[in-house]
Amino acid sequence: MLFRSRLRELAADDADRPTALRAIGLLGSPEDVQFLEQSARTAKNPVQLAQALTPLASHRLEESAAIAKEALLKAQQPADAAPVLDAILPQQKGPAVLAKALSGARLPKPIAEEGIRRVRAAGRPAPELLAAFSKAGGLPESAQEPSPVELMR
């Protein structure tokens, strides 16, 4: 119990937060997972959110995707979306679950474009998520296809 308490204290410190939240995620008790969810919901910026979402997603992927969706809806610039997406996309079912969470959402065009870039950069096929970002951002279906420059990378 003392160990968990100390990890939670460390999670409040900017320098120790990433390591403490990963450790809490590895412990994985219901209380630990609840702490991660609370940390994600009260994050002050996209980086803090991603630090909590990454371990939370391994326990509650659907909840993590819902929190990520809310963050994407509030994102003011693509840099705000990047860490949030990077927390969800590596999960095996992350792209499919995020695509479902984005159903019916309206994202700013630059945020949707960043989502498409991040999905492509992840290197795994995720056509459902590419389609979800295109639809949410009001982008043409052709936006889902990589540009010639992206194909050369």
Side-chain angles (χ1 to χ4, degrees), residues 72 81-82 84-90 94-96 98-99 102 107 111-134 143-146 150 153:
L72 294 173
V84 174
L85 293 169
D86 291 346
I88 300 292
L89 293 178
L98 183 56
L102 288 173
L107 295 174
I111 304 304
E113 291 170 336
E114 180 65 16
I116 290 171
R117 277 191 292 277
R118 292 285 169 173
V119 171
R120 288 184 189 147
R124 293 179 13 211
E128 70 283 353
L129 186 53
L130 290 173
F133 276 121
S134 292
Q144 298 174 34
E145 299 300 321
E150 290 174 321
R153 291 184 198 163

Side-chain angles (χ1 to χ4, degrees), residues 18-131:
T19 303
L21 291 174
R22 279 194 305 270
I24 290 168
L26 290 172
L27 293 173
S29 75
E31 295 82 17
D32 295 324
V33 175
Q34 185 176 5
F35 179 81
L36 292 170
E37 184 178 340
Q38 178 185 0
S39 296
R41 292 194 180 280
T42 60
K44 295 179 180 135
N45 59 58
V47 172
Q48 284 185 2
L49 174 57
Q51 291 167 347
L53 275 183
T54 300
L56 178 62
S58 65
H59 298 282
R60 292 187 186 160
L61 185 56
E62 289 80 12
E63 186 66 28
S64 297
I67 294 169
K69 171 190 163 186
E70 293 306 315
L72 294 173
L73 290 170
K74 295 175 187 174
Q76 298 295 312
Q77 55 190 355
D80 294 340
V84 174
L85 293 169
D86 291 346
I88 300 292
L89 293 178
Q91 296 293 321
Q92 183 176 355
K93 294 181 182 179
V97 173
L98 183 56
K100 184 177 176 182
L102 288 173
S103 178
R106 302 289 335 147
L107 295 174
K109 184 177 176 180
I111 304 304
E113 291 170 336
E114 180 65 16
I116 290 171
R117 277 191 292 277
R118 292 285 169 173
V119 171
R120 288 184 189 147
R124 293 179 13 211
E128 70 283 353
L129 186 53
L130 290 173

